[in-house]
Structures are given as structure tokens and as C-alpha cells.
Amino acid sequence: MKLDVVSIFVDDQQRALDFYTRRLGFTVSADVPLGEHRWLTVIDPDRPDGTQLSLEPKGHPATGPFTDALIADGIPFCVLGVADVEAEYTRLTALGVTFTQPPTAMGPVVVAVLDDTVGNLLQLAQRVD
């Protein structure tokens, strides 16, 4: 068994697609029209068989209050592993990405938190040995 797809709830699928592909560097894995929304997933281009991230519209009434509460408390929705948090922070800041937490050493990891512009905070994490 493997983790195949995880979902993140987004305010706008097209803006999310732009952010996750043009800023974060993911590629489109699936883009299937489904009425007013799409089955839209992105994936790490270096791991085409890896876990897909589904950019789910916030259509369900529970998603808005849930994601709003996470943001209000500064809690990232998910963690993205990177080789070098400081380098990603520098690269993404140059692309206009807003961070709510700069790179910070926290024991066995260095983390930073960014705003994905579509209703979520994402944590970048680098394991340090």
C-alpha cells in the first residue's frame, strides 16, 4: 500500500495551479473537467510515481471554517520536504512568495512557512543530521 493522492483545499483551482506549478515547481498530473470544477492534481516532476497533491475546491461547508482556523492559528496544512530550506526561501521570496515564518532551526529539522495564496499555509522542512 502507498499514499497515492492527498488533497489540499484551495480557494480557486486556477490560481492554485499557477502557484503550485510556476512558483513551487510541481507539474500537472491530472486535469479533468468535472462540471464547474476539475479533478486537478500536481506532482513532483522528479518523482512522477510519487504522491499526487489534489487541488480541491473548497466546496464543502466544512472546509472554509477548517482552513480558516488553521491559518488563524498559524498551522500549516501540509509539509513539503526540501533539500535546503534557506535556498528555497531565497528562491521563492525572489518570486514574490510571502513567508509567515523564515527558515528556523527546530532540532532535527529546519522549517519555514509560506502562504500559498489560495487559503493555506505550507511548511517547508529540511532534515538535518
Side-chain angles (χ1 to χ4, degrees):
M1 186 178 305
K2 71 172 189 171
L3 186 58
D4 196 37
V5 179
V6 295
S7 296
I8 189 165
F9 303 109
V10 298
D11 295 332
D12 180 285
Q13 286 187 299
Q14 186 58 50
R15 285 190 351 209
L17 179 61
D18 291 343
F19 184 84
Y20 281 79
T21 57
R22 293 182 183 183
R23 304 279 166 83
L24 297 185
F26 288 95
T27 58
V28 174
S29 180
D31 188 355
V32 180
L34 295 172
E36 67 180 278
H37 300 295
R38 300 145 71 177
W39 171 248
L40 181 58
T41 66
V42 294
I43 196 162
D44 177 348
D46 294 331
R47 297 180 55 222
D49 294 329
T51 304
Q52 297 177 48
L53 181 61
S54 174
L55 305 175
E56 292 277 344
K58 290 183 179 175
H60 190 279
T63 58
F66 171 70
T67 56
D68 290 348
L70 291 177
I71 287 178
D73 289 343
I75 299 172
F77 191 93
C78 68
V79 178
L80 303 173
V82 297
D84 184 337
V85 166
E86 189 68 46
E88 285 298 315
Y89 176 81
T90 300
R91 181 183 75 82
L92 292 170
T93 300
L95 292 174
V97 173
T98 300
F99 279 79
T100 61
Q101 178 185 328
T104 304
M106 301 180 77
V109 294
V110 177
V111 299
V113 178
L114 62 91
D115 179 346
D116 77 353
T117 73
V118 286
N120 303 286
L121 299 176
L122 307 176
Q123 184 177 69
L124 302 182
Q126 169 194 352
R127 294 179 192 264
V128 291
D129 295 318

